[in-house]
Amino acid sequence: MQATLKKLLEFSLLFSALLFCSCRSIVVRDYVDKSKNDGKLRIVQISDFHSNDFGKDESVLIEKVADAKPDVILLTGDIFDFEREGNLPVKNVAVLLEGISKIAPFYYVAGNHEYMAGHVDECSTLIEDFGGRVLKDTSVSIDFAAGFLIIGGLYDPYEDLTEAQRLADSKDNREAYLNRLKSVAEKSNKIKKDLENSGKNVLASILLAHRPEYLNEYSQYDFDLVFSGHAHGGQWRIPGILNGLYAPHQGLFPRYAGGRKAKNDTVFIISRGLSYQCPNFPRIFNNPELVIVDLN
């Protein structure tokens, strides 16, 4: 009897330790995607930070970003979360931005949580205060030694809703969102065409869009890579069996919980996000994730 209880206790402790680690420790997920060129470029994606704590002054997360030695950093929404107490919603983000601003240029699009408390404009201003580039339904090109990278940014569907609709988590205004998507794609294509007509080398055309559930719509346009987040990896996972249990705006057993997918010559990177404190619901076998993508 005592032996059985001892084994049960050991199993419980081991299982608890695994759950604790799967909730808190950051996994660095490294993807390699081929571009049409020989130049190498490293991208780091930070998504769904939700104003969380990762060591004193975000030292754990900042160190992992620095260790990756990125050429560019992409912030794909829900970086802020005003459900955190006191000054944490802004303080933690400011510390993170200060840290990554010393590592590489960074680009940002808003997710739904930046809209939740009516602070989307203040969030964008803080990004710019630390030298980041806000991509609100627009596209830009970046000149690297290996060639140009085109980045288009699409703000969350909450952009198209009233404050009351956002608080009620109303259905998306699909028509408005898809019209904005089309506009961003046209801007990116124009930049690409102008660069190629000038004999410039274009490494890849990228879209930053917080919501992954619009993957089919994104794939209709000429983007090489699309970076999304929002799904938090489906919160609970069973690796190899269940990719995710539940994701916002997808429901149970979400199709796009996290990982790498491809459709119509477009590669989709869906980050499992970093948040483990807010929302206050444990992640199981679903570590907070920092994404690296190497363009070869």
Side-chain angles (χ1 to χ4, degrees):
M1 183 69 175
Q2 286 184 338
T4 302
L5 288 174
K6 182 180 178 182
K7 287 183 180 179
L8 183 60
L9 178 61
E10 289 174 348
F11 175 80
S12 298
L13 290 173
L14 177 60
F15 187 72
S16 298
L18 286 171
L19 289 183
F20 180 84
C21 291
S22 71
C23 283
R24 294 173 178 268
S25 59
I26 299 173
V27 165
V28 178
R29 197 85 58 193
D30 198 341
Y31 299 98
V32 176
D33 282 287
K34 294 180 180 179
S35 69
K36 301 173 184 178
N37 305 279
D38 295 327
K40 186 173 183 179
L41 192 76
R42 171 160 283 194
I43 299 167
V44 162
Q45 179 191 13
I46 295 173
S47 194
D48 298 88
F49 174 63
H50 283 271
S51 302
N52 274 212
D53 301 286
F54 288 98
K56 179 176 171 56
D57 294 331
E58 306 298 337
S59 58
V60 173
L61 178 54
I62 292 169
E63 183 176 343
K64 286 187 180 294
V65 175
D67 287 346
K69 297 181 173 58
D71 296 290
V72 62
I73 301 169
L74 309 178
L75 308 181
T76 50
D78 284 5
I79 304 303
F80 299 79
D81 195 321
F82 290 88
E83 293 182 11
R84 298 298 313 276
E85 295 181 354
N87 64 351
L88 293 179
V90 173
K91 174 183 173 292
N92 284 359
V93 175
V95 172
L96 174 64
L97 296 178
E98 182 180 15
I100 66 173
S101 68
K102 301 170 184 175
I103 299 170
F106 61 97
Y107 295 78
Y108 161 89
V109 294
N112 55 302
H113 270 266
E114 277 84 1
Y115 286 93
M116 295 285 276
H119 293 299
V120 65
D121 292 334
E122 292 90 335
C123 294
S124 298
T125 298
L126 187 67
I127 296 289
E128 292 174 334
D129 287 345
F130 283 94
R133 183 71 182 266
V134 174
L135 298 179
K136 185 175 183 179
D137 302 335
T138 192
S139 301
V140 297
S141 64
I142 316 171
D143 187 4
F144 294 101
F148 284 84
L149 188 67
I150 302 169
I151 304 179
L154 181 64
Y155 263 35
D156 191 80
Y158 270 27
E159 167 71 15
D160 309 305
L161 303 181
T162 65
E163 183 176 352
Q165 288 173 328
R166 294 167 192 157
L167 291 173
D169 199 18
S170 299
K171 289 184 178 180
D172 298 344
N173 184 334
R174 286 180 58 86
E175 182 179 0
Y177 186 62
L178 296 182
N179 283 339
R180 291 193 289 115
L181 168 62
K182 180 181 178 181
S183 175
V184 172
E186 289 173 346
K187 292 171 184 175
S188 292
N189 288 340
K190 184 179 187 307
I191 292 172
K192 183 178 181 179
K193 183 177 179 180
D194 290 345
L195 287 170
E196 291 178 340
N197 287 343
S198 301
K200 305 296 185 181
N201 185 33
V202 176
L203 294 169
S205 178
I206 289 174
L207 175 68
L208 311 184
H210 183 63
R211 302 279 190 98
E213 61 265 28
Y214 286 89
L215 183 151
N216 288 332
E217 287 77 11
Y218 303 147
S219 69
Q220 295 174 17
Y221 296 97
D222 190 24
F223 295 109
D224 298 300
L225 282 159
V226 176
F227 288 85
S228 298
H230 189 56
H232 290 216
Q235 209 66 33
W236 290 8
R237 297 180 63 223
I238 304 176
I241 300 175
L242 177 66
N243 191 41
L245 178 64
Y246 177 86
H249 299 104
Q250 292 187 69
L252 289 170
F253 311 115
R255 187 175 182 181
Y256 307 119
R260 179 189 186 278
K261 297 183 180 293
K263 184 179 177 66
N264 295 350
D265 297 323
T266 300
V267 172
F268 296 87
I269 305 296
I270 304 166
S271 171
R272 297 186 184 279
L274 286 158
S275 176
Y276 69 94
Q277 292 171 311
C278 194
N280 187 21
F281 197 75
R283 300 167 70 117
I284 296 180
F285 298 121
N286 178 32
N287 295 70
E289 181 178 77
L290 184 71
V291 172
I292 297 174
V293 175
D294 288 316
L295 296 181
N296 289 333

